[in-house]
Amino acid sequence: MAPANRDNAWLRAMPWVFVLIWSTGFIVARYGMPHAPPMKFLAVRYALSILCFLPWIVLAGVKWPSDRRQALHLAVTGVLMHAGYLGGVWAAVKAGMGSGLSSLIVGIQPVLTAIWLTSVGGQHVSRRQWVGLLLGFAGLVLVVSRKFGAGGPGDQATWLNLSFAVMALFAITAGTLYQKRFVMPCDVRSANTVQLLAALLVTLPLALMESETMRWNAELAGAMAWSVLGLTLGGSSLLYMLIQRGAAASVTSLMYLVPPCTALIAWLLFAEPITSVTLAGTALTAFGVSLVVRPAR
């Protein structure tokens, strides 16, 4: 295969690889939460990620945001998209929610973002998008209603973990909208570091209030390593390359595949049941999200 063809093939595959990496974030939470409290885990993750980004920034000669307002805007997105989103997901999993269900709830985010941006931008919300919105929420309600108080250990919906998951949903949606509105284009490495610093400042006091300690073992160490290297550094770098190559839209159009992918991995690793109702609800939600985020012809 010629070098140009190899580059094109890799570019086409990159969005799929990114979606797969993004799906593992919910799996990592399930691996790590039995051995650590959520805020302590995330505080260590943020700190280690910052320590990895700093030498990369220095060696690559990456510039920091020169405008204080831009740094403040990045800090706000860090609080929302790291502390709020990840804190909600990790707390939901710690409170007994399965990886598949937490992924499904947060997977509604592209729908909320697309509808909000279309409405605020003065553009017409198409009939297809409204149908997708209704189908997405119908599928979510179908899955949650069957798991509410009836799931097994580690795969049960309660008012507590649902509250955490919904908080994560609104945090990632608000963070995405805020970033689109206020954050100017900048290098993802320095931007990520500013965001992580802000998230660490918010998360650390909460971590210090947790009485549970981190019990280090192979599973917790593996979850932490993948969280830092695979998700924060690897996922962010991959998204950076996609944006630079103009393929970021491909990621958005494939985000509806994250919940089914997460459910499949959770079934393989944790034996989280995939019943006919769960399968139907997940498929319905994925189809609804695809209708909303798919670009118009």
Side-chain angles (χ1 to χ4, degrees):
M1 185 180 294
N5 292 333
R6 284 198 299 268
D7 291 342
N8 290 333
W10 170 235
L11 181 60
R12 289 193 297 270
M14 282 167 67
W16 297 88
V17 175
F18 177 80
V19 169
L20 180 61
I21 292 176
W22 189 266
S23 302
T24 63
F26 303 91
I27 304 300
V28 164
R30 183 73 189 273
Y31 258 116
M33 286 305 87
H35 313 291
M39 298 302 120
K40 279 191 174 73
F41 183 97
L42 290 174
V44 174
R45 170 180 171 173
Y46 299 150
L48 291 177
S49 298
I50 292 169
L51 291 177
C52 290
F53 268 121
L54 286 177
W56 190 6
I57 290 172
V58 173
L59 293 175
V62 174
K63 294 183 178 179
W64 293 92
S66 56
D67 190 343
R68 290 185 178 180
R69 287 181 298 179
Q70 271 302 296
L72 179 60
H73 290 324
L74 285 170
V76 173
T77 59
V79 171
L80 292 171
M81 301 179 72
H82 287 282
Y85 165 63
L86 292 178
V89 171
W90 257 244
V93 173
K94 183 67 174 181
M97 180 175 285
S99 303
L101 181 56
S102 60
S103 172
L104 188 63
I105 294 173
V106 179
I108 296 293
Q109 179 264 331
V111 176
L112 300 183
T113 302
I115 296 296
W116 175 267
L117 289 175
T118 304
S119 302
V120 173
Q123 301 177 11
H124 174 68
V125 181
S126 67
R127 182 180 301 176
R128 185 197 68 192
Q129 288 180 310
W130 283 119
V131 171
L133 177 64
L134 294 175
L135 290 178
F137 278 105
L140 180 60
V141 171
L142 182 62
V143 175
V144 171
S145 63
R146 294 302 299 265
K147 290 183 178 289
F148 199 86
D155 187 35
Q156 188 179 59
T158 65
W159 287 116
L160 178 62
N161 57 33
L162 275 176
S163 299
F164 288 139
V166 171
M167 182 192 77
L169 169 62
F170 282 110
I172 188 66
T173 303
T176 301
L177 294 170
Y178 190 94
Q179 181 167 317
K180 288 179 178 291
R181 175 65 177 84
F182 294 106
V183 176
M184 300 295 292
C186 54
D187 190 280
V188 70
R189 291 161 290 189
S190 58
N192 233 330
T193 304
V194 174
Q195 291 176 331
L196 290 167
L197 283 168
L200 180 60
L201 289 176
V202 172
T203 306
L204 188 57
L206 299 176
L208 295 175
M209 289 189 291
E210 291 176 326
S211 58
E212 182 183 354
T213 59
M214 299 183 68
R215 299 176 298 279
W216 288 98
N217 53 30
E219 287 188 356
L220 181 58
M224 183 65 71
W226 181 251
S227 293
V228 174
L229 301 176
L231 293 171
T232 304
L233 272 71
S236 298
S237 302
L238 189 55
L239 181 59
Y240 172 74
M241 289 188 289
L242 287 167
I243 294 174
Q244 292 296 307
R245 294 170 178 262
S250 301
V251 175
T252 303
S253 64
L254 291 174
M255 287 302 288
Y256 66 90
L257 294 176
V258 170
C261 185
T262 302
L264 178 60
I265 299 174
W267 173 70
L268 292 172
L269 296 179
F270 308 118
E272 289 187 8
I274 302 180
T275 63
S276 58
V277 174
T278 301
L279 189 61
T282 303
L284 192 62
T285 300
F287 181 63
V289 174
S290 70
L291 290 178
V292 174
V293 302
R294 190 174 61 203
R297 293 182 180 178

